[in-house]
Amino acid sequence: MRGTVFLTVQSTHLKYEMAFSRNITILKGDSATGKTTLVDLIREYNLNGTDTGISLHCSCPCYVIAGNTWKEQLQGIRKGLVFIDEGNRFVTSEEFAKAIRGTEHYYVIVTRESLVNLPYSVTEIYGIHSSGKYAYQEPVYHHMVRIYRDYTVPEADRIDRMLVEDSNAGYDFFSGLSDTKQIPCISAQGASNIFGFLENVGSKESVTVIADGAAFGSQMEKVYQILLRRPQIQLYLPESFEWLILSAGVLRDTEVASILENPSDYIESCENFSWERYFTRLLTEKTAGTYMRYSKVKLNPVFLQGRICAQIAAALPEKLGKILASGLEGEYGEPCQD
Amino acid sequence: MLKIYYGDMEDVIHNTAVYFKFNYMPKWFEDPDVIQMVKDVDKSVVLGNGAIDSPVLGVIAPVTLSGGLKTLILIDKVPEKVFNASNCGDNCAKWLLRIGEKKDVTVNLRHLMDFGPEPFEALVMNTGEQVHNMDQVLSVAGRYV
């Protein structure tokens, strides 16, 4: 499946309007916000249709899977939007991750647990907000609100150390840039190591963490709790390093620009468990046979040179870009105005 | 004392909604603490005789309460069992602490519940350490969830 799936579910007293753009969406937040009620409405509608008085409008079929027979239930459904309520222990299992990989569905999972086997984006973790009351004539209106919307843009004026999730090309790029500023740059060798590293950061040390937002969802709550307590730790979460290069415009490719405008319309969920895989493949294909030939394993040095490096630096959040690339006109030059 | 085991744990009732559905007792809703929990977490009023007035759903039965509230009530009323407290949102945290002040309860947490800025007392069973604030919770529990 690809594209954005719009869902409206309404009963006499409740109304939900939601949109899902990726294969995995997480719903969490406070109790009593209406997450389970949403799943119940869909379950009831599937069981009893219009007899329920519920109206459901969606661009694809909606399903609910639950309990010990989840695997059989999953096998029996066509391409659709699959809801899983909290309390279903299978969502944390490797078996579940294996089973949904390569399927055509979009999954909406109600859970507060970190699903380390699933590569979900920090931008697809939502809470539900509601407005209105039962006594009013209008139904109580529910919509999704992104939970981690304010913590992905670094605002620090100083960086003492950088921590990069990646150990390959992304690390090569950021360590190359930070070397010129004599800022130590360390590879975390994976997203799951970032929390442990941040626990040991000195209280006055200003650290910027760079990780792939497209698959950082399972780590976000722990890291977010550290950010709340240590404002000198900053987090930058581009979709992925490859997305950063593509969005910097170094390829001057109109198709890439269109894709980046609305990636969901182009990224087939059954082929791309997470968006970072798609962006890696896109960058690799687009640069194949050119002097910019991209390899994830080791950074092509051209990305650290001249106009190309300057353009990538310019695509970073403003303050991070200034710290890492300011005063490098000689080597890095000003970004080209295309 | 509130005892918390973080991460995977044996013999935990994971699907607390199902357990509640088949095991809740109407008399639980006569307890002033439960009445307060219903009011605070679900913003609802216990009317008596198993009826609850919800601002969103109208008059409902206890099984229709929020998953977090049902879990809280189970933790309070069935302390000999261990329930998955990750079905509770952060708006249940203060009630978990209050229950732990009254009696010994063990819960399984599979995420980092935010217990708020005030000092509290809980035992992290994974390490046997007592914790008194969220900084301590984070440094101990962060390894397990």
Side-chain angles (χ1 to χ4, degrees):
Chain A
M1 183 144 61
R2 67 177 75 179
T4 300
V5 173
F6 294 96
L7 169 71
T8 305
V9 195
Q10 186 167 354
S11 69
T12 305
H13 305 299
L14 303 167
K15 182 174 186 179
Y16 290 80
E17 280 185 335
M18 300 179 155
F20 305 96
S21 298
R22 302 198 198 202
N23 56 342
I24 301 169
T25 299
I26 303 294
L27 293 181
K28 59 185 218 174
D30 277 347
S31 295
T33 52
K35 302 180 291 295
T36 294
T37 303
L38 167 68
V39 179
D40 282 346
L41 286 170
I42 293 164
R43 184 189 287 112
E44 281 300 327
Y45 184 83
N46 279 351
L47 287 173
N48 297 302
T50 51
D51 285 358
T52 56
I54 296 166
S55 67
L56 189 152
H57 300 284
C58 186
S59 46
C60 67
C62 295
Y63 306 98
V64 176
I65 63 170
N68 294 334
T69 59
W70 64 270
K71 219 170 174 179
E72 290 78 7
Q73 294 167 42
L74 195 56
Q75 282 165 357
I77 59 180
R78 291 177 290 121
K79 182 165 81 175
L81 193 56
V82 180
F83 287 82
I84 304 167
D85 198 7
E86 68 182 355
N88 283 292
R89 70 176 76 206
F90 65 81
V91 295
T92 59
S93 69
E94 278 183 45
E95 194 185 10
F96 175 67
K98 263 189 195 167
I100 70 167
R101 191 189 189 106
T103 58
E104 288 187 296
H105 317 299
Y106 279 6
Y107 296 86
V108 183
I109 305 171
V110 182
T111 185
R112 295 182 186 87
E113 294 186 45
S114 297
L115 306 180
V116 292
N117 294 314
L118 299 181
Y120 53 99
S121 168
V122 288
T123 64
E124 303 309 311
I125 302 173
Y126 294 92
I128 293 183
H129 276 208
S130 60
S131 52
K133 281 196 167 188
Y134 173 78
Y136 296 172
Q137 283 189 332
E138 293 293 312
V140 179
Y141 176 71
H142 297 74
H143 66 282
M144 300 197 303
V145 176
R146 200 166 268 160
I147 287 184
Y148 303 112
R149 57 190 184 279
D150 300 330
Y151 294 91
T152 53
V153 179
E155 289 291 336
D157 295 317
R158 181 186 106 226
I159 299 174
D160 297 326
R161 235 183 333 167
M162 280 177 56
L163 179 67
V164 180
E165 172 200 345
D166 201 352
S167 58
N168 300 313
Y171 171 72
D172 292 342
F173 178 80
F174 287 109
S175 64
L177 264 190
S178 63
D179 272 356
T180 63
K181 295 291 176 187
Q182 294 173 323
I183 297 170
C185 181
I186 301 158
S187 165
Q189 308 278 338
S192 60
N193 296 321
I194 289 175
F195 174 78
F197 174 90
L198 294 181
E199 270 196 306
N200 298 314
V201 167
S203 61
K204 291 184 178 166
E205 192 180 11
S206 180
V207 173
T208 293
V209 180
I210 301 174
D212 293 345
F216 200 67
S218 67
Q219 301 301 313
M220 190 58 190
E221 182 58 30
K222 285 198 287 191
V223 171
Y224 169 75
Q225 289 292 342
I226 288 189
L227 297 182
L228 287 178
R229 288 161 179 79
R230 309 274 284 276
Q232 80 280 12
I233 296 175
Q234 302 275 303
L235 188 59
Y236 173 47
L237 298 174
E239 290 283 349
S240 67
F241 176 58
E242 293 78 14
W243 173 89
L244 178 65
I245 294 176
L246 290 163
S247 64
V250 294
L251 302 186
R252 302 180 187 183
D253 185 307
T254 51
E255 190 196 19
V256 168
S258 303
I259 292 170
L260 294 178
E261 214 166 280
N262 205 351
S264 177
D265 287 345
Y266 296 86
I267 301 178
E268 180 56 57
S269 64
C270 63
E271 293 167 5
N272 303 279
F273 207 20
S274 95
W275 281 14
E276 61 176 332
R277 286 171 187 271
Y278 174 82
F279 292 125
T280 300
R281 203 172 62 239
L282 181 63
L283 181 60
T284 306
E285 284 171 7
K286 288 285 181 185
T287 57
T290 75
Y291 72 104
M292 282 195 280
R293 187 178 60 80
Y294 179 77
S295 161
K296 192 172 180 65
V297 180
K298 188 161 175 51
L299 187 71
N300 180 340
V302 77
F303 290 105
L304 272 170
Q305 292 165 5
R307 176 186 67 85
I308 295 175
C309 183
Q311 273 189 274
I312 299 169
L316 293 169
E318 192 181 352
K319 285 195 174 172
L320 180 60
K322 263 186 186 166
I323 292 171
L324 292 178
S326 67
L328 296 174
E329 286 79 12
E331 187 177 353
Y332 292 90
E334 287 296 317
C336 286
Q337 301 298 314
D338 294 327
Chain B
M1 164 82 83
L2 174 64
K3 298 175 188 174
I4 308 168
Y5 193 93
Y6 282 96
D8 285 333
M9 184 183 188
E10 296 285 315
D11 299 323
V12 173
I13 293 169
H14 205 87
N15 194 332
T16 50
V18 170
Y19 188 93
F20 186 90
K21 183 176 180 179
F22 295 109
N23 294 281
Y24 87 87
M25 309 285 276
K27 68 176 180 189
W28 291 351
F29 291 88
E30 295 165 14
D31 180 339
D33 283 347
V34 171
I35 291 169
Q36 277 306 307
M37 282 185 218
V38 172
K39 194 170 183 183
D40 183 55
V41 177
D42 278 20
K43 313 295 177 215
S44 299
V45 178
V46 176
L47 301 172
N49 291 327
I52 291 153
D53 189 11
S54 156
V56 178
L57 300 168
V59 176
I60 57 170
V63 290
T64 312
L65 290 168
S66 70
L69 178 57
K70 285 187 279 196
T71 307
L72 265 186
I73 295 170
L74 287 171
I75 291 165
D76 188 25
K77 296 298 175 191
V78 194
E80 65 276 17
K81 300 260 185 208
V82 180
F83 295 97
N84 171 16
S86 282
N87 291 335
C88 300
D90 288 344
N91 54 337
C92 298
K94 72 174 184 192
W95 287 103
L96 261 187
L97 295 172
R98 276 189 211 177
I99 294 168
E101 284 167 9
K102 286 189 306 185
K103 60 182 90 167
D104 281 345
V105 287
T106 299
V107 299
N108 179 214
L109 268 177
R110 305 165 68 87
H111 78 291
L112 278 173
M113 176 178 276
D114 191 343
F115 288 102
E118 301 299 322
F120 57 85
E121 198 168 287
L123 178 78
V124 177
M125 295 171 71
N126 309 61
T127 60
E129 288 173 69
Q130 281 210 23
V131 287
H132 301 92
N133 56 54
M134 271 309 289
D135 286 352
Q136 291 173 348
V137 168
L138 193 57
S139 72
V140 180
R143 288 173 251 162
Y144 301 99
V145 293

